[in-house]
Amino acid sequence: MGFNRLFLNSNGLNTEKGAKQIRETLYDYYEIDLPRLKVYIVSLPEYEIDDIILKNCITILDMKEENIRFSKRSYPDEEFDPDIVYVTEGNTFEVLKYMKELGIFKYIKKLARDKSKDLIYIGSSAGAMIAGDDIMLAKDFDSNTVGLYDYTSLGLFEGAVVPHYTEEQLKLYIESTEKHILERYYTIYSVSNDEMLEL
C-alpha cells in the first residue's frame, strides 16, 4: 500500500492556518486519529521553523511530542516507524536538494514501496509539488539558487500540482505555458490557499 492517502495544501504546519486545515481535513472530516499516530516531518534546519511546527502539532493537531520526529540532518532511525510523512513549504529546489543529499528522498521512496504499510503523505506548497512526478513547473515560482539539476520528485501520483493557485488561476497558467512542458504530465492539479487536495 505504501502511501495510500495523499493530502496536499499550500499552507504549512508552521502556520496556524495550515495546521487548522490539516486538522479539519484529517482529524475532523476523515476522523483519522492523529493523537495516536507518528509523524516524520521534513523541514530544512536553516528555515528555523521546527519549534513552530512542533507547537502547532501539539496544540492544534493534538499530537504527542514523543510521536513527532524532525528530519534535522537525516532520516529517522529504524525504531521510529512513521504513520505520516509531512514535507514542508519553502523553496522547492532547496527542499528537494536537501532531501536528496541526506538520503531522505530515498527513505520516503522506500516507504512508498512498502506494501505492508498504510501511510499518509502530507505536502505543503513545496512539499505538494515534490509529491508529483517532477518539479519542472517550480521554475515558474521559485529560483533554483542551489543548482539542482535533477528535477525528479517522489512520484506519489501521476502528474504535477501547482500550489497557491485556484482552478481559474491554473487555467490561465496552463494557457500561457508551452505545450511541450504540459505534455510531460498526465494531469496538473491546483490547490488554493483555502483548501486541501486529497489524491
Side-chain angles (χ1 to χ4, degrees), residues 71-89:
S71 55
K72 305 281 187 199
R73 291 292 172 194
S74 67
Y75 49 88
D77 57 60
E78 291 182 7
E79 293 179 9
F80 187 79
D81 193 16
D83 304 291
I84 300 171
V85 170
Y86 169 83
V87 180
T88 189
E89 60 187 326

Side-chain angles (χ1 to χ4, degrees), residues 96-164:
L96 185 56
K97 185 175 182 182
Y98 163 77
M99 290 170 64
K100 288 186 173 182
E101 286 185 343
L102 296 176
I104 296 166
F105 184 86
K106 286 184 178 178
Y107 170 71
I108 295 174
K109 292 283 282 184
K110 181 182 175 184
L111 290 177
R113 290 190 300 270
D114 189 342
K115 302 303 180 189
S116 69
K117 296 187 183 298
D118 184 9
L119 301 171
I120 295 169
Y121 178 94
I122 303 172
S124 296
S125 193
M129 295 194 92
I130 289 168
D133 290 327
D134 63 41
I135 59 164
M136 183 70 70
L137 299 183
K139 293 194 298 184
D140 292 330
F141 309 99
D142 289 332
S143 298
N144 186 1
T145 56
V146 293
L148 185 71
Y149 61 88
D150 180 4
Y151 292 172
T152 306
S153 49
L154 291 170
L156 301 180
F157 68 92
E158 286 187 290
V161 64
V162 178
H164 307 288

Side-chain angles (χ1 to χ4, degrees), residues 29-41:
Y29 185 77
Y30 285 102
E31 298 182 348
I32 295 170
D33 191 6
L34 293 176
R36 72 171 183 81
L37 300 183
K38 294 180 180 179
V39 60
Y40 175 59
I41 296 172

Side-chain angles (χ1 to χ4, degrees), residues 10-65:
S10 296
N11 302 288
L13 275 174
N14 58 308
T15 67
E16 191 173 308
K17 181 175 183 176
K20 285 182 175 177
Q21 279 181 340
I22 291 168
R23 180 196 165 95
E24 287 168 6
T25 303
L26 277 71
Y27 192 57
D28 297 338
Y29 185 77
Y30 285 102
E31 298 182 348
I32 295 170
D33 191 6
L34 293 176
R36 72 171 183 81
L37 300 183
K38 294 180 180 179
V39 60
Y40 175 59
I41 296 172
V42 179
S43 68
L44 276 67
E46 52 265 38
Y47 288 174
E48 298 182 345
I49 55 175
D50 288 4
D51 289 344
I52 300 169
I53 291 175
L54 179 63
K55 175 179 173 286
N56 287 339
C57 281
I58 294 169
T59 60
I60 298 175
L61 272 59
D62 293 329
M63 301 189 86
K64 295 181 174 65
E65 186 169 354

